């Protein structure tokens, strides 16, 4: 006797699910607010200090919580109601961004750093909670489409938010209004998340084979590491993603010097270059469901990493700005499927009770690798040149692709605890 495998759902299919519409609607609004705050903070810091070091410190303040607080956040996301975590995080972030406005008007730069650290720390609770909640709302066959749509929303939100931030910075001397708008977006997100039934966010009872939940944070963290280590899909995803970020972090930090310093191109081209990659990432969201019908998530990840590695190598040899535009447009087509499939593997290769820790561990490993890469890349850029660093980065990303092929052998197996869902997938 055979059973038919459900046909992968497309973006229109997942948008028919009321609870998912609430989640993605809240995310879309708050993503725009995040785009406003991220750029506005940099513009304000630059205006108040005129220091590159001050800008770097802001980037550090926002990055450090990803691989420190984020590890602990995953533990509590696996203990608390995920919907409640999201509501609390939105409420707290609304307060923090309003305090940004106060700090800007008082020109308290140290307070801006502290608030940026706090906001980033709160976000480390929200993201894994949302990622863990989505599989309770969207059927397994709809996760690739749901995750690609979330990625597209984040990309569009950053672009729209950045545009609004630039406009507000030019029109208003206080710059406080942008942070107030971001605060309002968090309240809208709260209102939409609150419409999701609370039962969907509840942590299910432990399955017999899972044993009793860990009583302390350290033990829960070790259990999370054991879960990732014991799964080819999760372990392969974490190692491949972390290794790739060892190359991509340097690429990101040296991109402006490559364009302005090496190619002698006006900084005004940066907007067009960013638009090329953004457009491709948005377009790619529409084909992820199609790819998911034909290929396994692990295959998509390996191919995307290999393609990105090759394209970075081509970027190292670029001599004209149009070549950069073409390469980054191609990169955009690979980034969205890569990120959507990584999220899908986290959601499908871990159990409902462990998704928070798994997501946080993988994100922490990627953030740590990225920070190390940015630091080393900046130093090596001065010592051996930007193009040499790009070639090294290309080799590292290709290495990550090879590692993923080796570690993904055997495919993704569904955890036993999720074989029989505790409640219907759609609300």
């Amino acid at each position: 006797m055979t059973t038919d495998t459900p046909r992968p759902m497309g973006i229109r299919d997942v948008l028919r699910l009321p609870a998912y519409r609430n989640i993605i609607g809240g995310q879309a609004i708050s993503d725009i607010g995040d785009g406003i705050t991220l750029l506005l903070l940099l513009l304000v810091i630059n205006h108040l200090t005129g220091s590159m070091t001050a800008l770097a410190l802001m980037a550090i303040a926002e990055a450090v919580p990803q691989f420190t607080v984020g590890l602990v956040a995953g533990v509590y996301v696996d203990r608390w109601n995920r919907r409640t975590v999201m509501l609390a995080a939105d409420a707290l972030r609304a307060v923090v961004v309003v305090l940004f406005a106060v700090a800007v008007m008082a020109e308290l730069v140290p307070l801006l750093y502290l608030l940026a650290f706090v906001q980033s720390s709160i976000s480390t609770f929200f993201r894994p909670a949302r990622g863990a909640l989505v599989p309770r709302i969207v059927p397994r066959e709809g996760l690739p489409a749901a995750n690609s749509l979330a990625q597209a929303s984040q990309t569009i939100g950053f672009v729209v938010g950045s545009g609004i931030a630039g406009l507000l910075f030019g029109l208003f001397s206080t710059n406080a209004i942008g942070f107030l708008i971001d605060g309002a977006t968090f309240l809208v997100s709260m209102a939409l998340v609150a419409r999701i039934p609370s039962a969907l966010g509840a942590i299910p009872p432990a399955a017999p084979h899972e044993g009793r939940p860990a009583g302390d944070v350290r033990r829960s963290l070790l259990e999370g590491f054991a879960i990732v280590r014991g799964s080819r899909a999760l372990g392969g995803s974490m190692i491949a993603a972390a290794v790739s970020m060892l190359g991509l972090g340097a690429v990101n930090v040296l991109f402006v010097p490559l364009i302005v310093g090496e190619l002698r191109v006006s900084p005004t081209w940066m907007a067009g270059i960013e638009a090329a990659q953004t457009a491709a990432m948005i377009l790619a969201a529409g084909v992820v469901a199609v790819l998911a019908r034909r290929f396994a998530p692990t295959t998509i990840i390996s191919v995307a990493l290999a393609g990105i590695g090759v394209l970075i190598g081509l970027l190292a040899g670029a001599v004209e700005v149009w070549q950069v535009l073409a390469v980054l447009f191609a990169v955009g087509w690979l980034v969205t499927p890569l990120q959507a499939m990584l999220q899908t593997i986290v959601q499908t290769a871990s159990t409902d009770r462990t998704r928070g820790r798994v997501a946080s561990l993988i994100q922490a490993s990627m953030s740590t690798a990225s920070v190390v890469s940015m630091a080393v890349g900046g130093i090596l850029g001065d010592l051996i040149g930007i193009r040499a660093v790009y070639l090294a980065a290309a080799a590292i990303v290709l290495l990550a692709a090879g590692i993923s092929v080796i570690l993904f052998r055997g495919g993704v197996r569904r955890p036993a605890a999720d074989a029989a869902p505790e409640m219907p997938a759609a609300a």
Side-chain angles (χ1 to χ4, degrees), residues 16-401:
R16 292 190 181 101
L17 304 174
Y20 181 73
R21 287 202 302 271
N22 289 324
I23 279 190
I24 196 63
Q27 177 184 333
I29 295 296
S30 61
D31 280 340
I32 293 174
D34 288 344
I36 294 173
T37 292
L38 288 173
L39 181 57
L40 202 54
L41 274 178
L42 297 178
L43 292 173
V44 168
I45 291 291
N46 184 63
H47 175 70
L48 294 178
T49 67
S51 168
M52 293 295 291
T53 301
L55 291 173
L57 287 174
M58 178 57 71
I60 292 171
E62 293 175 337
V64 168
Q66 304 303 316
F67 54 88
T68 54
V69 179
L71 289 175
V72 178
V75 172
Y76 290 103
V77 166
D78 284 339
R79 296 181 180 183
W80 299 337
N81 185 299
R82 275 78 180 256
R83 172 182 174 273
T84 302
V85 171
M86 293 172 66
L87 291 172
D90 273 341
L92 291 172
R93 289 186 296 180
V95 173
V96 171
V97 294
V98 170
L99 292 177
F100 273 132
V102 175
V104 167
M105 288 188 291
E107 298 188 356
L108 298 175
V109 174
L111 181 57
L112 289 175
Y113 292 132
L114 176 61
L115 291 173
F117 180 88
V118 172
Q119 184 189 27
S120 182
S121 298
I122 297 170
S123 295
T124 64
F125 286 83
F126 183 89
R127 283 189 290 269
R130 180 178 61 199
L133 181 59
V134 168
R136 306 292 295 275
I137 293 170
V138 178
R140 183 184 178 90
E141 60 271 19
L143 291 177
N147 292 326
S148 67
L149 184 57
Q151 179 61 37
S153 169
Q154 184 176 355
T155 302
I156 295 171
F158 179 78
V159 173
V160 173
S162 297
I164 294 173
L167 181 63
L168 293 175
F169 188 80
L171 293 178
F172 299 96
S173 58
T174 64
N175 303 306
I177 189 170
F179 298 113
L180 298 178
I181 292 173
D182 191 13
T185 67
F186 285 125
L187 297 179
V188 173
S189 176
M190 275 187 67
L192 291 172
V193 173
R195 298 176 64 181
I196 299 171
S198 180
L200 285 173
I203 306 298
H209 72 279
E210 289 184 296
R212 299 182 63 183
D216 61 87
V217 172
R218 179 177 176 274
R219 182 180 168 191
S220 291
L221 277 175
L222 291 176
E223 286 182 352
F225 278 112
I227 291 164
V228 173
R229 188 175 63 247
S231 166
R232 277 185 176 273
L234 295 174
S237 295
M238 185 171 77
I239 294 173
V243 172
S244 68
M245 290 310 300
L246 284 174
L248 294 175
V251 169
N252 293 333
V253 79
L254 294 177
F255 186 69
V256 172
L258 173 70
I259 299 301
V260 178
E262 293 286 326
L263 299 183
R264 307 292 181 182
V265 173
S266 169
T268 56
W269 272 95
M270 294 301 298
I273 293 170
E274 182 70 30
Q277 182 172 352
T278 299
M281 291 174 65
I282 294 170
L283 292 171
V287 303
V288 168
V290 177
L291 292 174
R293 292 170 190 163
R294 297 175 175 268
F295 306 104
T298 50
T299 301
I300 295 173
I301 289 172
S302 298
V303 172
L305 286 173
I308 291 172
V310 170
L311 290 169
I312 291 173
L314 294 176
L315 199 58
V319 294
E320 300 288 345
V321 69
W322 69 264
Q323 296 170 340
V324 176
L325 283 166
V327 168
L328 288 187
F329 184 76
V331 168
W333 281 97
L334 298 173
V335 169
T336 296
L338 172 63
Q339 295 181 338
M341 291 304 104
L342 283 172
Q343 179 76 338
T344 299
I345 284 181
V346 170
Q347 293 167 336
T348 56
S350 58
T351 66
D352 204 353
R353 294 185 57 82
T354 62
R355 287 191 184 111
R357 277 169 289 175
V358 169
S360 294
L361 285 170
I362 292 177
Q363 182 59 54
S365 67
M366 293 174 63
S367 298
T368 302
S370 179
V371 170
V372 170
S373 178
M374 287 189 288
V376 175
I379 297 172
L380 291 179
D382 291 329
L383 294 177
I384 65 176
I386 295 173
R387 294 183 186 274
V389 173
Y390 267 52
L391 287 174
I396 292 173
V397 177
L398 287 172
L399 174 63

